[in-house]
Amino acid sequence: MAPAMIASALLLLLAAPSSAFAPPSVNVASKAGSTEAASSRSSLFASPSDGDDVAATETRTRREVLTAVASAALSALGSVSTPNLALADEDVVTAPPPPPPIEVYPTGDVKKLYGEGRVLESQGNMNAALRIYSKVTKIAPRFVYGWSSLGNAQVALGDLRSAEGSYTEAVDLCRAKNAEVDGEGRGGRRCDDFYVLLLNRGSLRLNDGRPKDALKDLEESAVERGRPDALVLQNRARAREMNGYYFGADQDYSVAISMTSNEVSPFWLRAAMVRFQLGNTDDAFNLLRRVEVRFPEAPEVRAAGAAMRASRGEMDDARALYLKIPDRARLRFVDNDYLERTVAWPPKMKEKLREVSVAAGDLSS
């Protein structure tokens, strides 16, 4: 089934600038000290004058050298400390600006553009709606329903892989928004239809042959919904059935049927086959009869009716009903891959249908 279309909403904002640090100035005094030290060291090796002035000259020279070396050392300390400070300043990394807020309600130009997309979608112009929704997600990438609506359009156009990516963006944003409101006390409005986003992605995954991933989404969708919902139950029942959880599937189908008992729906056939798999053959057959009244010529309904009649020992009636299916459609039910992957019948239904196919001559025994 195609995922349900969703209602929508939004908001928008941008982030703050970062700061930068200027490098410190060079300590010019340190160079002067180094020059003085160099010239003083050269005086130590100068030749002294003759006589009694030698000792005094040596004493004076040593004093000058010590003074010059001390001055040079102090200057050197100053020159070393400055580059260290400069490196520390340069190593400081400013924090990245916070991301824009997650938006649930549209505003300004985004609101207008999103509204245009919804009008086009309601008119069935899905290609034009797709272009609009793609633009919305570029302008407001944190807008939940821009992504979910893009996913709806992609599903309608058969691009399931891209649709899953769009639904996942919507699911992740909605989950994060609700965590902000519920857990962090930031205020604002919740993303109240989170369960619909999960339902859409779960339904897509179910139709894309990924029953385990689908069931995970649909279980969470049921929890988020907080009360029985016929559409969630139908899809979760199907996912449980495809994962082999027939008891859980039967429970979901039964509640969904009780909520729609005045109108027979195609999913009732699935419910009947699950009951047959569980051994409740009389209940299964009674439910099937109601489906047959509503959809008497549907090939899958006739095939299921033939299989259940065979299990009741009514092989002649089963074969006659089976042969009413047009040849091309009937031969699909001979293909085990079709039964396994496309219509995904339970094992006992496949077994009984095979018996009918053999009796009708479509299969060899």
Side-chain angles (χ1 to χ4, degrees):
M1 66 173 268
M5 292 300 175
I6 352 178
S8 41
L10 150 165
L11 256 130
L12 188 67
L13 210 59
L14 291 174
S18 60
S19 58
F21 294 90
S25 58
V26 177
N27 189 339
V28 178
S30 64
K31 293 185 177 181
S34 299
T35 304
E36 182 181 351
S39 61
S40 298
R41 285 192 183 91
S42 66
S43 67
L44 178 62
F45 300 103
S47 300
S49 57
D50 295 334
D52 295 336
D53 288 339
V54 171
T57 299
E58 290 178 354
T59 300
R60 184 173 62 254
T61 300
R62 290 191 187 96
R63 187 182 300 116
E64 290 173 352
V65 168
L66 291 174
T67 300
V69 169
S71 175
L74 289 174
S75 298
L77 286 175
S79 64
V80 170
S81 63
T82 300
N84 284 343
L85 287 175
L87 288 174
D89 287 346
E90 290 169 3
D91 287 344
V92 173
V93 178
T94 57
I102 298 171
E103 302 162 15
V104 179
Y105 296 99
T107 58
D109 292 340
V110 174
K111 180 178 181 179
K112 180 180 178 182
L113 190 63
Y114 182 68
E116 292 175 7
R118 288 179 58 79
V119 169
L120 291 167
E121 183 179 350
S122 67
Q123 294 171 347
N125 192 347
M126 301 309 297
N127 283 301
L130 178 71
R131 289 192 293 271
I132 293 294
Y133 292 142
S134 296
K135 189 173 182 180
V136 167
T137 60
K138 289 180 174 62
I139 297 173
R142 304 267 285 173
F143 173 37
V144 175
Y145 299 106
W147 288 106
S148 63
S149 295
L150 177 60
N152 290 341
Q154 289 164 333
V155 166
L157 294 170
D159 188 0
L160 299 187
R161 295 302 167 88
S162 296
E164 182 178 359
S166 297
Y167 284 147
T168 297
E169 289 283 352
V171 165
D172 291 347
L173 288 170
C174 192
R175 191 192 304 278
K177 179 64 176 179
N178 289 348
E180 288 179 4
V181 175
D182 298 341
E184 300 178 17
R186 294 188 185 182
R189 297 289 296 273
R190 295 183 87 255
C191 181
D192 289 327
D193 55 356
F194 184 34
Y195 85 96
V196 179
L197 305 180
L198 290 164
L199 172 61
N200 281 1
R201 188 174 70 174
S203 299
L204 182 151
R205 288 175 168 177
L206 193 60
N207 290 323
D208 199 32
R210 298 168 56 193
K212 290 185 178 180
D213 292 335
L215 182 57
K216 183 178 179 181
D217 276 348
L218 294 165
E219 294 282 13
E220 188 177 3
S221 178
V223 171
E224 289 292 329
R225 182 59 168 146
R227 58 185 175 83
D229 182 285
L231 195 57
V232 174
L233 288 168
Q234 292 169 35
N235 282 277
R236 187 175 69 173
R238 180 76 166 132
R240 284 177 168 179
E241 175 191 348
M242 292 180 70
N243 281 283
Y245 305 140
Y246 293 108
F247 285 104
D250 183 46
Q251 292 175 345
D252 281 351
Y253 279 135
S254 296
V255 176
I257 287 172
S258 71
M259 298 176 72
T260 60
S261 58
N262 292 329
E263 184 178 354
V264 177
S265 300
F267 80 88
W268 286 32
L269 178 62
R270 303 300 316 182
M273 289 194 285
V274 165
R275 291 181 184 181
F276 187 86
Q277 177 67 28
L278 292 172
N280 302 326
T281 54
D282 289 339
D283 287 345
F285 188 67
N286 290 334
L287 190 58
L288 172 71
R289 293 295 298 272
R290 295 187 64 181
V291 177
E292 287 178 328
V293 171
R294 178 72 175 82
F295 307 102
E297 297 182 0
E300 188 175 8
V301 173
R302 284 178 170 172
M308 288 193 191
R309 284 172 173 82
S311 73
R312 297 165 64 87
E314 303 169 3
M315 183 57 77
D316 289 342
D317 291 343
R319 184 172 57 250
L321 182 59
Y322 175 76
L323 290 173
K324 285 183 179 181
I325 303 172
D327 291 348
R328 175 178 287 184
R330 190 179 73 246
L331 292 177
R332 286 203 298 263
F333 290 95
V334 178
D335 182 0
N336 188 65
D337 190 66
Y338 177 78
L339 290 173
E340 183 78 27
R341 298 177 181 275
T342 304
V343 292
W345 275 25
K348 290 183 179 180
M349 287 293 297
K350 291 189 293 183
E351 178 185 339
K352 287 301 175 183
L353 185 62
R354 178 179 175 80
E355 293 178 10
V356 177
S357 299
V358 170
D362 285 344
L363 276 177
S364 57
S365 56

